[in-house]
Amino acid sequence: TSITSAKIQVNGVHLHYQQTGEGSHAVLLLPGMLGSGQTDFGPQLKSMNKQLFTVVAWDPRGYGKSIPPSRDFPPDFFERDAKDAVDLMQALKFKKFSLLGWSDGGITALIAAARYPNLIHKLVVWGANASVTQEDVRIYNGIRDVSKWSEKVRKPLEELYGHKYLAETCEAWVDGISRFAENSDGNICQQLLPDIQCPTFIIHGEKDPLVPQAHAEYIHKHIKGSRLLLMPEGKHNLHLRFAKDFNREVENFLR
């Protein structure tokens, strides 16, 4: 099945998305920091079961092809993304859908599942966190300068954004997410986790250099009935590196 690309107006911005499959179970893929459907979810758009699922991957405002506007990071940027994501799916006429969120997209998905329980069927998150610790801030500052990233990670994003936009937006992201560390307990969305009612699957790579495992364990502990899968060789991009295993686990959970 082909992958279609389009834009649709949502909350005053034109959001870009890709869509594939004709299954009755709609699934939204939520990318990470600076990500887009195209850069973050190639193996999912290509290989997820097109008979069972209709798969949508979106570019949050200011990312990917959802520019303009330029990306900014006000204190409520995760809440804003959660509302945009849900409103996008409703604009596309999906009454109920599942969320697959990676990294920042996982945080967005947690918030969306808590805020819109009637709309969310199932939830899968990986590389996500519900709070920001001082240790996390140290890790984020370690990736502030994109010129120090490996070429493999940097190149597709430079092709998408140009070096200047990529560099400036990454710095703005580090500042924006680090601000949560000033909250009590570094809170992003901890208080929302008990409100999540849908079946939830948390996946974590034991070798993730960006998100310590304690975050996945915290989310698991505070979402009632959730399932946690640890992948011993998984890093932050486990859904790309181990796409076949990841897709199989997720499809089994979504069925």
Side-chain angles (χ1 to χ4, degrees):
T1 323
S2 63
I3 299 170
T4 59
S5 293
K7 281 188 160 185
I8 189 167
Q9 187 164 352
V10 177
N11 298 329
V13 293
H14 289 90
L15 294 176
H16 177 263
Y17 67 95
Q18 291 169 286
Q19 185 172 330
T20 185
E22 57 266 346
S24 59
H25 189 155
V27 174
L28 177 65
L29 308 175
L30 298 95
M33 172 264 274
L34 280 160
S36 66
Q38 177 194 334
T39 53
D40 286 12
F41 296 117
Q44 284 69 45
L45 285 162
K46 184 168 170 254
S47 305
M48 275 185 77
N49 187 316
K50 314 275 169 115
Q51 279 68 52
L52 287 180
F53 304 108
T54 296
V55 181
V56 178
W58 81 309
D59 299 356
R61 61 171 74 198
Y63 283 165
K65 293 179 182 167
S66 295
I67 303 172
S70 292
R71 182 69 182 186
D72 63 350
F73 299 94
D76 66 342
F77 74 91
F78 284 118
E79 296 274 354
R80 180 182 67 184
D81 283 349
K83 185 170 180 2
D84 282 350
V86 166
D87 291 351
L88 166 76
M89 291 300 276
Q90 294 205 289
L92 296 176
K93 303 285 188 277
F94 296 110
K95 289 186 175 63
K96 204 164 182 176
F97 44 91
S98 292
L99 301 174
L100 270 64
W102 177 36
S103 199
D104 268 20
I107 300 171
T108 302
L110 291 167
I111 293 169
R115 295 264 186 237
Y116 309 95
N118 311 341
L119 300 176
I120 310 306
H121 184 39
K122 292 186 176 184
L123 172 65
V124 183
V125 296
W126 65 105
N129 45 303
S131 64
V132 174
T133 66
Q134 288 305 324
E135 164 70 0
D136 296 327
V137 172
R138 192 186 62 73
I139 294 170
Y140 302 149
N141 278 303
I143 61 166
R144 176 185 287 274
D145 181 354
V146 298
S147 65
K148 294 181 179 160
W149 292 11
S150 75
E151 193 180 347
K152 191 176 166 216
V153 174
R154 191 181 69 239
K155 202 170 172 225
L157 292 171
E158 272 186 343
E159 283 167 7
L160 184 60
Y161 294 117
H163 180 78
K164 185 172 184 282
Y165 188 90
L166 176 66
E168 289 174 357
T169 307
C170 182
E171 288 198 13
W173 174 83
V174 171
D175 293 338
I177 196 157
S178 297
R179 249 180 254 126
F180 288 104
E182 297 160 16
N183 295 346
S184 120
D185 290 339
N187 179 47
I188 303 175
C189 63
Q190 291 172 316
Q191 77 291 357
L192 293 176
L193 300 181
D195 295 343
I196 296 174
Q197 295 161 19
C198 63
T200 300
F201 186 20
I202 301 139
I203 305 173
H204 193 78
E206 292 190 31
K207 294 184 175 174
D208 189 330
L210 290 175
V211 180
Q213 191 170 310
H215 285 301
E217 288 166 353
Y218 182 95
I219 294 167
H220 172 48
K221 187 179 165 189
H222 290 87
I223 299 179
K224 201 175 166 205
S226 64
R227 221 182 109 198
L228 174 63
L229 171 69
L230 298 175
M231 292 177 70
E233 292 303 311
K235 293 187 181 176
H236 196 58
N237 64 345
L238 55 86
H239 66 297
L240 302 176
R241 176 85 172 66
F242 301 105
K244 210 171 161 186
D245 295 344
F246 175 87
N247 288 359
R248 186 186 63 244
E249 288 284 353
V250 167
E251 287 186 5
N252 288 340
F253 170 76
L254 292 174
R255 277 171 202 270

